[in-house]
Amino acid sequence: MIVNGFKDLGLPLMNIVKLRGTPILQQLVLEERLLRSSFENWCIINDGTNVPTIVMGMSGKPCELVELEPVVKDGIPVIKRFTGGGTVIVDESTVFVSLICNRDDVPNVQPYPRSVMAWSGSLYSHVFNGISGFQLRENDYVFGDRKFGGNAQSITRNRWIHHTSFLWDYNENNMAYLKLPSRVPQYRLERDHTDFVCRMKDYIERSVFIEKTINAVGTQFLLKELSLDEIDDSRREHLESTRLLTMDELKESLANTSRIKSIAQAV
């Protein structure tokens, strides 16, 4: 179903897939497949995920980014995704928006992280028009000096993905599973997680945000809405790097970390 009226303007086609409560691992596996084996543009919106889950960038190390002892004790799933970026914990209060684009369909965007970020910042400036303090700050979306949206990207020769986890709300207890990373945005100023982030629900209604995001994408693309079942499941071979870390891997990392601490204390 075509959901906007710009067909006569010669805009490139963008498939819109709206999900609700889809497990984040399933979403990421789908996105990696679409980036690497599809030739179409995609906008995937997932309104929440089913259980609290930690998601790390492709080069992330659990011992450096998460509090392993409570993560193992509480059985919190940890995923290593196929894109770069930082570590987040997501749940039913997180709204995910992913944009997978052909390079030739957005010719004003160079296939480099800074150019893709600038384009996305301009796109979301329409979504948050009228809300004071919105800006793209370093690699984050913020209101004032508090982050509400974290971004990650992967860029191939002819395509790229830019995906965002938006904190419509969050559980402060879940933030305790995350360590303060060694590399942080300059504007963070050593603030802890709860002082650094804010809740989107204090600024915009959840359904309004999703509607405005679709409308903003529709200014640059002809939108075609598809259900999850309508996505072509025929597969070309492609790299599959998104995966759920096993509990044994997390326990081994915890044991190694404990050994290193014991050695350091004995010296």
Side-chain angles (χ1 to χ4, degrees), residues 143-171:
F143 293 127
D145 64 353
R146 302 188 74 176
K147 173 180 176 177
F148 68 91
N151 302 291
Q153 300 171 351
S154 180
I155 298 172
T156 66
R157 182 178 179 181
N158 296 311
R159 289 165 65 74
W160 47 261
I161 179 172
H162 173 84
H163 54 189
T164 307
S165 55
F166 289 98
L167 293 176
W168 188 79
D169 197 2
Y170 64 87
N171 184 328

Side-chain angles (χ1 to χ4, degrees), residues 12 14 41 99-124 136 141 153-162 220-221:
M14 170 75 80
N41 302 305
L99 296 160
I100 304 172
C101 297
N102 289 317
R103 175 180 177 178
D104 292 343
D105 288 334
V106 277
N108 58 320
V109 179
Q110 297 300 310
Y112 301 106
R114 185 170 295 181
S115 181
V116 174
M117 283 298 311
W119 175 81
S120 74
S122 176
L123 183 79
Y124 284 109
L136 170 64
Y141 302 133
Q153 300 171 351
S154 180
I155 298 172
T156 66
R157 182 178 179 181
N158 296 311
R159 289 165 65 74
W160 47 261
I161 179 172
H162 173 84
Q220 299 190 39
F221 296 89

Side-chain angles (χ1 to χ4, degrees), residues 80 88 116 153 173 182 239 251:
K80 186 171 286 192
V88 294
V116 174
Q153 300 171 351
N173 293 331
S182 58
L239 177 68
K251 288 179 180 178

Side-chain angles (χ1 to χ4, degrees), residues 149-221:
N151 302 291
Q153 300 171 351
S154 180
I155 298 172
T156 66
R157 182 178 179 181
N158 296 311
R159 289 165 65 74
W160 47 261
I161 179 172
H162 173 84
H163 54 189
T164 307
S165 55
F166 289 98
L167 293 176
W168 188 79
D169 197 2
Y170 64 87
N171 184 328
E172 291 188 13
N173 293 331
N174 288 343
M175 293 294 179
Y177 292 117
L178 304 181
K179 287 184 175 180
L180 184 66
S182 58
R183 296 179 61 185
V184 298
Q186 185 176 1
Y187 76 94
R188 182 165 183 158
L189 301 176
E190 299 184 356
R191 290 177 288 169
D192 64 23
H193 293 297
T194 54
D195 288 332
F196 176 54
V197 300
C198 64
R199 295 174 167 89
M200 276 180 61
K201 71 176 186 179
D202 295 332
Y203 298 85
I204 189 171
E205 292 184 21
R206 194 163 178 159
S207 59
V208 171
F209 164 70
I210 292 173
E211 180 182 0
K212 285 190 171 184
T213 296
I214 293 173
N215 289 341
V217 175
T219 64
Q220 299 190 39
F221 296 89

Side-chain angles (χ1 to χ4, degrees), residues 11-257:
L11 296 174
L13 181 68
M14 170 75 80
N15 295 311
I16 294 278
V17 182
K18 293 191 290 184
L19 309 173
R20 187 175 183 86
T22 298
I24 186 59
L25 179 61
Q26 180 182 346
Q27 177 191 335
L28 289 167
V29 168
L30 171 65
E31 290 176 6
E32 184 171 15
R33 173 165 64 86
L34 293 176
L35 174 69
R36 304 192 191 282
S37 65
S38 170
F39 299 102
E40 299 177 274
N41 302 305
W42 298 85
C43 175
I44 298 173
I45 299 175
N46 186 14
D47 190 3
T49 189
N50 57 343
V51 296
T53 304
I54 293 171
V55 184
M56 303 189 306
M58 60 186 301
S59 60
K61 298 179 180 179
C63 62
E64 297 175 356
L65 299 170
V66 303
E67 297 290 354
L68 284 167
E69 189 169 348
V71 164
V72 170
K73 178 184 176 182
D74 297 341
I76 303 298
V78 179
I79 294 171
K80 186 171 286 192
R81 65 177 181 264
F82 68 100
T83 56
T87 302
V88 294
I89 184 163
V90 298
D91 58 21
E92 71 278 357
S93 295
T94 311
V95 180
F96 306 92
V97 180
S98 302
L99 296 160
I100 304 172
C101 297
N102 289 317
R103 175 180 177 178
D104 292 343
D105 288 334
V106 277
N108 58 320
V109 179
Q110 297 300 310
Y112 301 106
R114 185 170 295 181
S115 181
V116 174
M117 283 298 311
W119 175 81
S120 74
S122 176
L123 183 79
Y124 284 109
S125 68
H126 295 286
V127 177
F128 298 109
N129 183 38
I131 300 178
S132 177
F134 169 75
Q135 61 178 313
L136 170 64
R137 193 161 184 178
E138 298 186 41
N139 293 320
D140 302 329
Y141 302 133
V142 302
F143 293 127
D145 64 353
R146 302 188 74 176
K147 173 180 176 177
F148 68 91
N151 302 291
Q153 300 171 351
S154 180
I155 298 172
T156 66
R157 182 178 179 181
N158 296 311
R159 289 165 65 74
W160 47 261
I161 179 172
H162 173 84
H163 54 189
T164 307
S165 55
F166 289 98
L167 293 176
W168 188 79
D169 197 2
Y170 64 87
N171 184 328
E172 291 188 13
N173 293 331
N174 288 343
M175 293 294 179
Y177 292 117
L178 304 181
K179 287 184 175 180
L180 184 66
S182 58
R183 296 179 61 185
V184 298
Q186 185 176 1
Y187 76 94
R188 182 165 183 158
L189 301 176
E190 299 184 356
R191 290 177 288 169
D192 64 23
H193 293 297
T194 54
D195 288 332
F196 176 54
V197 300
C198 64
R199 295 174 167 89
M200 276 180 61
K201 71 176 186 179
D202 295 332
Y203 298 85
I204 189 171
E205 292 184 21
R206 194 163 178 159
S207 59
V208 171
F209 164 70
I210 292 173
E211 180 182 0
K212 285 190 171 184
T213 296
I214 293 173
N215 289 341
V217 175
T219 64
Q220 299 190 39
F221 296 89
L222 173 66
L223 305 183
K224 179 182 179 181
E225 187 171 336
L226 296 176
S227 69
L228 191 60
D229 293 337
E230 291 176 304
I231 298 176
D232 182 6
D233 199 34
S234 59
R235 297 188 178 205
R236 295 187 302 127
E237 287 190 10
H238 67 280
L239 177 68
E240 294 183 353
S241 55
T242 297
R243 68 185 189 93
L244 177 70
L245 300 186
T246 68
M247 195 54 62
D248 285 342
E249 287 179 285
L250 297 176
K251 288 179 180 178
E252 181 179 357
S253 183
L254 174 59
N256 290 339
T257 302

